[in-house]
Amino acid sequence: MATTRWLYLDMNAFFASAEQHLQPELRGRPVAVVPTMTDRTCCIAVSYEARQYGIRTGTNVGLAKQLCPALRLVEGRHEQYVQLHHQIVAAIETVLPIERAWSIDEFACRLSLHHREREAALEVAHRVKEAVATRVGPCLRCSVGLAPNRFLAKVAAGMRKPDGLTHLGLDDLPHILHPLDLGDLPGIGRQMRRRLERYGVQTVRQLCATPPETMRLIWRSKVGDQWAQWLRGEDVADRPTSRGSVGHSHVLPPELRTDDGARAVMIRLLHKAAARLRRLGYTAGRIDVGVSQTGDGPDWRGGVKLGRVQDTPTLLRAFETVWASRPRDMQPLKASITLHGLTAEQGVSMPLFADHQQAVRASRVMDAVNAELGPTALYFAGMHEIRNAAPLRIAFTNIPDVAAEGSRDPGPVAAPRGDLP
Ligand SMILES: [Mg+2]
């Protein structure tokens, strides 16, 4: 049965590995990345060589030096790590589109229909690991998890470090998932563990056997239901969180650094942003379009106010209106599309006009087909030309949303999670 729906990739000791990648003399040595050069701070990332001395993320630097006098300390360089993040995104996307970057070093990909058998999923996971190693660097190792849902794929990714690959099928849950420690599940810290104990839950096995009503009481919200579904292996969507915008930007490949090329890429970005908007359950109140000639902030930006819109045809028409006002003498290097003014769709009535209703339905059908068959199985006509203009698999960047998602989605400057062994 084809039940493997998600691939989750977590970089191992990311900042420390990044320094070993950037500074070859650090390879094979105990390295700790620190925020500033003082003994009173603590290590924010620790290489596997340094872990052998008992040094961990969070270890005080003074103590770390005592534990390992040969420890090499490096001051963190976040811009470099963000650059590497983008290289990793591009490498992964030569094999699979990324559904979402959960942090600077964690990525979730939804497997298309033909990758969902165990063997096919393992094969695609090997190719992703290979792409990161060969396109970015062999120092940057990663652990990959494959599972029926995004949550279990992250759990699986955490099971073997460094350089692991773990497949967690529905049939494996009793003998692989159940024996884990509660603390191995993302989101269960010390406080949550105490609360679980008050309800008599001390093991993952007991948690999996807890009825949804009790789960709701424990989590004091419907999040408990989501946990129950996750632990059963159901592929439920992540609950939308409050956020300000959905957007994508892309550095144009050399052959698309033209007026037409930029437009084609933006249409592709808009398709992606619109699908994401619908997946999160929002409508947008504004679209902004930007072109940069240097790769930094946009040199030209245009925008237009929308009603509460979430269908791709209406967004495409709005884009064309904005695009018509661009200066014609730009040499575009980077293009961006942002949808602002997001509103939860529950609060929005269906559009009054029949053709608009149809556009909404068509967009949803497209999303459903693409979720099964891959992100470019079905698309609107405006996107067709990019398929001729460029190789199909352009690595579209998926930049972590810095301000958007609260603690569940730290931005590019947050320390990588899950680095503790
Ligand atoms: Mg990590």
Side-chain angles (χ1 to χ4, degrees):
M1 201 169 52
T3 52
T4 314
R5 289 169 179 270
W6 286 86
L7 180 152
Y8 200 93
L9 184 146
D10 182 0
M11 300 303 296
N12 302 131
F14 181 51
F15 295 169
S17 310
E19 290 301 341
Q20 289 176 322
H21 168 74
L22 296 165
Q23 305 185 61
E25 69 274 16
L26 296 178
R27 294 178 191 175
R29 293 181 187 277
V31 174
V33 176
V34 294
T36 50
M37 283 295 179
T38 154
D39 281 5
R40 281 179 310 209
T41 185
C42 52
C43 305
I44 54 173
V46 177
S47 74
Y48 281 87
E49 295 83 359
R51 290 176 194 211
Q52 289 171 8
Y53 295 86
I55 302 166
R56 298 285 181 267
T57 301
T59 302
N60 169 275
V61 170
L63 173 62
K65 281 176 166 173
Q66 285 173 25
L67 291 168
C68 173
L71 183 68
R72 301 282 296 268
L73 294 171
V74 183
E75 207 171 286
R77 298 181 290 168
H78 290 290
E79 317 72 47
Q80 307 267 10
Y81 309 150
V82 171
Q83 266 181 27
L84 280 170
H85 163 89
H86 291 299
Q87 289 178 30
I88 293 164
V89 166
I92 295 170
E93 292 208 319
T94 60
V95 181
L96 272 182
I98 293 173
E99 172 98 357
R100 178 159 168 195
W102 281 84
S103 72
I104 192 167
D105 76 324
E106 294 185 32
F107 310 89
C109 305
R110 192 192 289 272
L111 297 176
S112 61
L113 200 56
H114 52 280
H115 288 135
R116 289 187 189 163
E117 301 285 348
R118 184 190 144 94
E119 293 312 315
L122 285 168
E123 191 266 336
V124 86
H126 279 295
R127 281 201 284 135
V128 167
K129 285 170 75 81
E130 170 97 7
V132 173
T134 55
R135 288 170 184 267
V136 190
C139 295
L140 291 156
R141 291 179 294 181
C142 58
S143 289
V144 171
L146 296 162
N149 61 44
R150 202 267 313 159
F151 175 86
L152 290 176
K154 180 175 164 73
V155 173
M159 290 177 72
R160 287 194 190 93
K161 289 182 176 182
D163 203 21
L165 172 55
T166 305
H167 180 274
L168 193 52
L170 280 180
D171 300 340
D172 304 322
L173 298 184
H175 61 273
I176 298 183
L177 179 68
H178 296 179
L180 292 180
D181 185 82
L182 281 174
D184 293 330
L185 301 182
I188 298 193
R190 210 174 304 165
Q191 215 181 346
M192 194 62 213
R193 188 191 278 262
R194 272 203 298 272
R195 207 190 307 169
L196 285 165
E197 278 168 5
R198 266 184 264 132
Y199 284 85
V201 176
Q202 292 180 342
T203 66
V204 172
R205 191 181 306 279
Q206 288 169 336
L207 183 63
C208 292
T210 304
E213 310 85 72
T214 315
M215 298 287 272
R216 218 172 300 154
L217 286 175
I218 297 172
W219 267 270
R220 297 175 187 148
S221 76
K222 285 188 175 167
V223 172
D225 294 279
Q226 184 172 44
W227 270 79
Q229 290 169 309
W230 274 338
L231 294 170
R232 285 198 299 267
E234 290 172 31
D235 186 16
V236 282
D238 284 294
R239 292 170 64 78
T241 49
S242 63
R243 52 185 296 146
S245 66
V246 168
H248 293 290
S249 65
H250 186 61
V251 176
L252 306 174
E255 71 274 23
L256 291 178
R257 290 176 189 167
T258 59
D259 193 73
D260 278 343
R263 176 175 166 274
V265 167
M266 288 174 132
I267 287 172
R268 174 71 166 83
L269 294 177
L270 181 56
H271 272 84
K272 195 174 163 179
R276 192 162 172 209
L277 182 75
R278 291 188 290 270
R279 202 160 53 238
L280 291 164
Y282 285 106
T283 61
R286 181 179 177 82
I287 179 172
D288 271 331
V289 176
V291 172
S292 163
Q293 304 186 85
T294 57
D296 296 322
D299 298 297
W300 171 76
R301 192 198 289 266
V304 66
K305 236 181 126 199
L306 307 161
R308 290 173 166 184
V309 171
Q310 64 168 192
D311 69 280
T312 306
T314 306
L315 290 167
L316 282 170
R317 277 201 297 278
F319 164 76
E320 293 293 1
T321 309
V322 178
W323 186 241
S325 69
R326 75 198 179 281
R328 304 298 155 112
D329 56 352
M330 287 191 294
Q331 292 179 315
L333 178 66
K334 188 175 163 192
S336 66
I337 291 275
T338 316
L339 304 174
H340 297 281
L342 306 193
T343 311
E345 65 187 333
Q346 291 93 303
V348 180
S349 53
M350 271 300 275
L352 286 173
F353 301 107
D355 63 334
H356 194 184
Q357 284 185 12
Q358 216 168 18
V360 171
R361 277 194 218 106
S363 302
R364 290 197 178 283
V365 169
M366 185 175 71
D367 294 346
V369 171
N370 290 348
E372 286 297 316
L373 299 177
T376 53
L378 205 60
Y379 51 90
F380 286 95
M383 207 176 115
H384 191 71
E385 59 205 275
I386 193 173
R387 291 170 66 98
N388 305 323
L392 186 60
R393 183 93 54 201
I394 295 175
F396 286 91
T397 52
N398 187 350
I399 303 153
D401 302 286
V402 184
E405 311 242 358
S407 60
R408 290 174 64 202
D409 191 9
V413 292
R417 289 164 296 164
D419 265 347
L420 297 168

